[in-house]
Amino acid sequence: MHNQSQSFRDSTISTARELEIELEELPDWYCCGAVYPLRSEDLISLLSPTRNLMGAKKEGKELVTLCSACYQVLKRTNYLILNDADKREKLNNYLEEKYDGSTKVLHFLEVIRKDVGWEELKSKVKTSLTGLKAAPYYGCLLLRPQKELVFDHPENPTIFENFLQSLGCDIVDFPYKTECCGAYLGITEEKVINSAVLKIIQGANKRGIEVLITSCPLCLYNLEAGQKELMKSGHISKPVPVLYFTQLLALALGLGVDVCHFEEHQINPLPVLERLK
Amino acid sequence: MEIVAFCCQWCSYAGADLAGTSRLKYPANIRIIKIPCSSRINPTFIMRALSKGVDGVMVAGCHPGDCHYSTGNYFTRRRLMVLKRLLEFSGINPERLQLYWISAAEGGKFAESVKDIISKLEKIQDKPFPKNPESSP
Amino acid sequence: MEISIEKINYELREAIEERSNQKIINCYQCGKCSAGCPSENLMDVPPHEIVRMLQLGLIDEALEVNSPWFCTSCFTCLSRCPRAIDIARIMEALRYYNLNDVFQPFDPNVLSDEVKTRLPQQALVSLWRKGT
Amino acid sequence: MRNIGVFVCWCGLNISRTVDIKRVVEETSSHPQVICSTDYKYLCSEPGQKLIKEIVKEKGLEGYVIAACSPGMHETTFRELASRCEINPYLCEMANIREQCSWVHEDREEATGKAIKLVNMAIEKVLHNEPLYPESFPLNKRAMVIGAGVAGMQAALDIADAGYEVLLVEKRPFIGGHMTQLSETFPTLDCAQCILTPKTAEVARHPRITLMPYSEVEEVKGYVGNFEAVIRRKATFVDWNKCTGCAICIEKCPKKIYPEFECGLKEGKSIDMAFPQAVPYKVFINKESCIFLNQGKCGVCAKLCPEEAIDFQQQDQLVKEKIGAIIVATGYDLIDKSELAEFGYGKYKDVIDGMQFERINSSSGPFSGVIRRPSDGKIPKEIVFIQCAGSRDREKGKPYCSKICCMYTAKQARLYKHKVPDGQVYVFYMDIRAGGKGYEEFIYRSVEESGMLYLRGQVSRVFEEDGKLIVWGMDTLSGKKIEINADMVVLASAIVPSNGVKELANILKITTDEHGFIQEAHPKLKPIECMTRGVYLAGCGHAPKDIAESVAQGSATASKVFSLFSRNSVLAEPTVSIVNKDECSGCLSCETVCPYQAIEKENYRGKVIAKVNSALCQGCGSCTVACRSGAIDLRGYTNQQIMAELEALLWK
Amino acid sequence: MKNQSYIELTAMLEQKINQLLSENKVDYLIVYGKGSFWFKTRPLLIRKQTEIEKVIWNRFCQFNLSTFLKPGSRKGEKIGIITKKCDIRSVVELIKNNQINKDNLYIIQVACDGIINWQKLENLLGATVSKVIEVEENALNFVIKMPETNIEVLKNDYLLDKCLICDYQQSFYADEFLITSEEKVEEIKNQFLPSLEILENMSYEERLEYWLKHFSRCMRCYACRNVCPVCYCPTCMFDSQEGLWISKESKTSENYVYHLTRAFHTATLCVECGECERVCPVNIPLMKLNNKLAKEVSEIFGYQAGLKVDEVSPFKTYCQEDSDEFK
């Protein structure tokens, strides 16, 4: 994140400060592995997320993630450790010390909902984003499988909508918000991305959506890269900028554009955002 | 080896019958006493049986929640939990008392349970209650 | 198609059930998974048919098709499946059995620098994870 | 001490193959109380029973043991035989040497040894048996039917026609149940109202049926033949003795609401009548929405009512009723909207369930019979029906088949085609289950004549785009993913038990299955009896079923009630607990363990002691263990008997 | 607690009783009276104020008087009873099990500092026990005054086991709690007698042998049953159906069934007052059975007998979520 998603990082850190949420980088964190291991015997891949969870436990803190993928991996790992005694046992054999699954895994959105609250957030907004036709793009990893993540309703999630509402945006009902972007296949199987992104962007255009909001670096990348491709091939004319929810939050809280690093984006959001100031 | 089985007539006794109609085989040293509900089993029956040198007592009832008398087996469960510990404290290997939940549809489970208790009893080293204790100590 | 006891590969089916921890025979072929699958259009065989193949023990056939490689593990199928079958896990298991023969590890150097700078590590890590 | 006879059955080869019958006979005849022991090929056969009868006469037996199959099989046979031999039936015991001996053991030696033990145990038990005589209780020849749907009404009518009083309790303010909401019915397509109204009218005017609409059962005490029910008659705020149904009040009522009857599709008033043919033909006030009841002003209806029937002071009333039998016909509801989110149900107006379609299609419905979509009233040109919406879905906790969806979907599709000939119908199905007279033919007539498209597969998602409903489905037969831009989507939603059934079940002490449907006493042989004697079961409260079946069940329960009422008293099983008054300490430990509240208090020699209500007692015997002094014992399974069996078993 | 305070308490007691009788609050009282021997006491039933001076209160008042409520409970007479804290729990059980009506009962709890186990004194002094003048005490020791010498013994060695684990100073459910000013309140100590562990650690065979040895000495005099305050059945099951459960002869196997059954029957009711063991002529360690069951019951169901009048005994109710150790 320090390298490629400064936008995500800085916007988060600054907004958190603004909202008086104490964030602290996990000392010597490990990469969670990005995908939750789906083979039942694959325990090794569970180790690094477990180490992170244990790290948080040592700190006696809740583990907050920004990225949907990390969220999915950490929360599911925790779920497994909590509910599968046998696997817990096996895992603990690999670990320096026992971990029991007691760490609470939260997404930054949940933290805002829990510690700030939508009403409170509204009151903190300096530049309301009224008139900005925004739609959330949840993607997959935040919502499914609901049984393990219990993040929001898998078919009709609302947490992003509530968030955007408090920022003053005009919410557009966007059925594609829960459709997949093609995930890591973006690298090897372009057509997966293109077909997925095409659906999503066309849907967005039809509804006059000006900006899509996400919390997943990969979603963001795919949506942007995909759009560029599709514009080349002329499948879409009107690109839709994609932003991290924290960037929009930063703007609303009046923290200025520099924390947002809009230059990172392949589809420049500024034209859309100009209006706001 | 001699084993007494108390079976409630609605679930486990019917289960035993099913084991029969499905011609499942199990050892012959089990004697079934039919009772209306496992909650009819007076702990003294079990003490009596064991003190007369029976090797094991098997109690079988409907699965918790499916009791024909709706709550009977919940009481059985509590009573036997305590009885098991009392027997153990009195010097009788608690394995000698086994309780199984067997529904009328579980002929297989009945046969298995009989084999189970027998294999457990075979493992037990210590002798059952002496036939004439007067001479023993 | 001729089915025979020799042809039906139960060992491998069980192995796959084991690895994926899914009861393949639970599927009653409603097709809900395929209907919602984002990459169905790119697969030679839609997800529910893969499961059907496995049910019939036609493992070799199942291993030949490209479908597993197009599964993005978005869990849409799982979250709507009336029988709670996690097809993503089944696909993962199939990928696993395929790796040995068809898989050639991905070389990041083929990517343009432009892509490399922008692409989140998450993408590469996932890809390698899935492909190894 | 008694003279016992032992009869050992060969059961052809079934027993004799593994058990040495001769030895069993010899060994047992050595028992001091056994004055004769004999065997026969088939004891249950005519000659077998004749043989027993003769020997009983000749030897003057006072009780006997039958060593044969399981008591579950033939106990009744041989106990009836006993009474024909002038022996108390409870002096006959069976030794189960087939199911629990010859069939499960191979070693002849062991099997024979066991058989002998089992017979000895039975002998000991008989020796300690007491002759038992079933107690009889008077019974109250009056039935209560809970639920005035088509099943309940049928039961009520049959019973009333047979000359018995019936109490018909219905929680909605009108009778007829869900059938009143339907437009036409499969497979004959005759109008639901047209075939139902004659029945509702008949129920209303029947001299022996007491109708209790807008009422709910609060409490039921007692036992078969002698139940006592407390029923809450909810306030309608209208004096129904005065109301003539002139409907002026409805016309003038300022408060608009969306009544449940029209499934939220058609506007109604706060004071209203559910539908034009409602029985009773009376208006009622919706407590939640009425302006006067909530804000204390308005009262237009009261001012205008020519009969001065409006009574805002009206209160719920609790009435006590004595009845002898109860029929539960509580019916069904449809699965909750939130469960079907992937179909956009509850989110998009034009995604409706089957019942809503019935209302739309009904001439008294929101569009007076013209098929329009709720959102904009347009006539849908492309319509998608989705079967198994929630049914057969383990994950939604409804693994069962709702049974009627295949049929009513075909019906609705067909009716749609009749009214919108140029419209296109798509039906997503998983299997077609049309097991009923003329059902299969009906389905195929629909498919062939009306040219609708049946797609084999489920729908994954429905969402709105450009004013259309995008349906993502699968046709597993072609292996193709199907995308349809539809104008309207109709879900054949899963059927669930109507709410409140669980509570009612507790009140009636009957059981419900894991889905909340009421449990029958035996899935095959007692499909309409409940676990509690005197309580019977009809209609969809038991499981999803169609109108014909519900009616059949209604009549079936009625016939059960006849056979109960045809006697002047009920016999109770004599195998019940009994208290030894002098030994009872009055600690009443037995009271709390009794599942049937059969233990009552009684004053005896200046102390309070326990008393068993033998009508309530079901003979589980839990009390006999709770009782430390052994003052309560269970007839037929007394401590003596069980100990005797135990002793016999320990003989070496 | 000095002898002085026992004398004070006795005075308070007499005064209270006097008041109760004079105001006809009770028809009679069950109290402690002087026994046949200097260290013995006996239960006493007094109806008249004139009998009051017979009332005593000292370190030898061992009986659990609630035993005498069993017969009294039937006739509607008003009864007053003197109890130690430990005994009240059995009164509570009798009330819980409808054996006596609280309205007809007046409970006087008297502060107690532990009861001296006189069997141990006898064992210590042998024949000279008759020479004892009195037993004084200081902080740690009992001082046994003899004509020639004084013998000092450690208190805790000569108190009843149950007293070692009892917070006897607290008032509990009594209508009247008599306590002198200078009392200190002790906190409750470990719940269960350590002596169980020895038995618990034996092998099954050793344990069986241990019990059979004891049971073989049982004469089935039924004293344990008759003295037990919670053995309130008008007819015990072993009497009612003679020879049904066990044969009349006192064979070890029969005794085994008798004692285990009794232990099971009193489980959830036994308040561990120790009367059964006290009265046993052949000193069978019956309390070990009772203590064990009390321990198990409280571990499984978190229940202790005789603590609350409105508490339901675990055998009279059930919970679907009970741990299911059976298959």
Side-chain angles (χ1 to χ4, degrees), chain D residues 54-65:
Chain D
E54 282 159 2
I55 294 181
V56 171
K57 255 209 175 50
E58 174 195 332
K59 307 260 178 176
L61 298 182
E62 297 171 62
Y64 57 71
V65 169

Side-chain angles (χ1 to χ4, degrees), chain D residues 8-231:
Chain D
V8 188
C9 181
W10 293 52
C11 195
L13 278 177
N14 281 314
I15 296 173
S16 55
R17 186 185 290 113
T18 31
V19 174
D20 180 343
I21 305 279
K22 282 275 153 293
R23 257 190 64 211
V24 178
V25 173
E26 285 158 18
E27 294 273 347
T28 49
S29 53
S30 65
H31 187 292
Q33 268 83 34
V34 173
I35 55 169
C36 97
S37 176
T38 173
D39 60 295
Y40 187 76
K41 214 163 175 27
Y42 289 106
L43 282 174
C44 56
S45 67
E46 253 325 301
Q49 300 197 32
K50 205 157 146 289
L51 174 89
I52 296 173
K53 201 161 178 195
E54 282 159 2
I55 294 181
V56 171
K57 255 209 175 50
E58 174 195 332
K59 307 260 178 176
L61 298 182
E62 297 171 62
Y64 57 71
V65 169
I66 305 286
C69 50
S70 162
M73 195 81 182
H74 272 309
E75 191 169 66
T76 9
T77 317
F78 293 109
R79 286 196 162 165
E80 272 167 10
L81 174 62
S83 39
R84 272 185 273 123
C85 306
E86 283 127 22
I87 297 178
N88 181 291
Y90 294 87
L91 299 183
C92 151
E93 286 293 339
M94 289 190 76
N96 185 343
I97 61 167
R98 192 179 76 175
E99 281 83 349
Q100 293 179 8
C101 187
S102 69
W103 275 352
V104 285
H105 308 315
E106 276 148 336
D107 181 312
R108 192 173 174 78
E109 198 41 45
E110 286 180 355
T112 309
K114 179 176 178 178
I116 293 164
K117 284 222 167 194
L118 292 177
V119 177
N120 279 332
M121 287 161 69
I123 294 171
E124 284 306 304
K125 190 169 185 210
V126 175
L127 287 173
H128 293 85
N129 276 14
E130 294 292 323
L132 300 180
Y133 307 94
E135 256 184 278
S136 79
F137 305 90
L139 87 166
N140 191 336
K141 299 189 180 182
R142 187 152 178 266
M144 171 166 76
V145 179
I146 306 173
V150 67
M153 290 198 301
Q154 186 61 48
L157 284 171
D158 289 2
I159 298 171
D161 287 344
Y164 302 110
E165 289 285 320
V166 183
L167 201 65
L168 184 53
V169 183
E170 166 60 46
K171 75 175 169 189
R172 291 158 109 184
F174 57 91
I175 61 171
H178 279 309
M179 191 170 167
T180 56
Q181 293 171 270
L182 307 183
S183 52
E184 276 86 3
T185 56
F186 62 81
T188 46
L189 292 189
D190 36 16
C191 149
Q193 284 294 355
C194 316
I195 56 174
L196 191 64
T197 33
K199 271 202 190 302
T200 48
E202 195 183 346
V203 168
R205 66 163 182 272
H206 202 297
R208 279 183 297 278
I209 297 181
T210 318
L211 202 52
M212 284 200 181
Y214 212 41
S215 308
E216 293 188 38
V217 177
E218 293 252 309
E219 185 192 338
V220 172
K221 290 208 300 293
Y223 47 89
V224 55
N226 297 278
F227 294 106
E228 192 179 297
V230 178
I231 299 156

Side-chain angles (χ1 to χ4, degrees), chain E residues 52-71:
Chain E
I52 289 180
E53 76 276 2
K54 293 189 193 154
V55 174
I56 64 162
W57 178 251
N58 62 28
R59 275 196 179 276
F60 297 98
C61 297
Q62 184 176 353
F63 312 117
N64 179 347
L65 295 178
S66 62
T67 304
F68 301 95
L69 290 173
K70 290 191 284 175

Side-chain angles (χ1 to χ4, degrees), chain C residues 26 28-38 40-41 46 48-49 76 78 80-84, chain D residues 342-343 391-396 399 430 456-461 472-474 476 478-481:
Chain C
N26 279 2
Y28 61 21
Q29 290 290 304
C30 69
K32 205 167 184 172
C33 45
S34 310
C37 179
E40 183 271 351
N41 52 336
H48 75 278
E49 285 187 16
T76 311
L78 167 62
R80 291 177 189 158
C81 176
R83 315 281 288 183
Chain D
E342 71 265 41
F343 303 123
S391 311
R392 302 173 64 191
D393 188 327
R394 245 183 230 167
E395 280 314 281
K396 296 187 164 63
M430 285 203 277
R456 198 273 168 200
Q458 253 295 3
V459 166
S460 171
R461 192 152 183 231
W472 287 351
M474 192 73 201
T476 59
S478 64
K480 295 270 174 296
K481 186 169 171 176

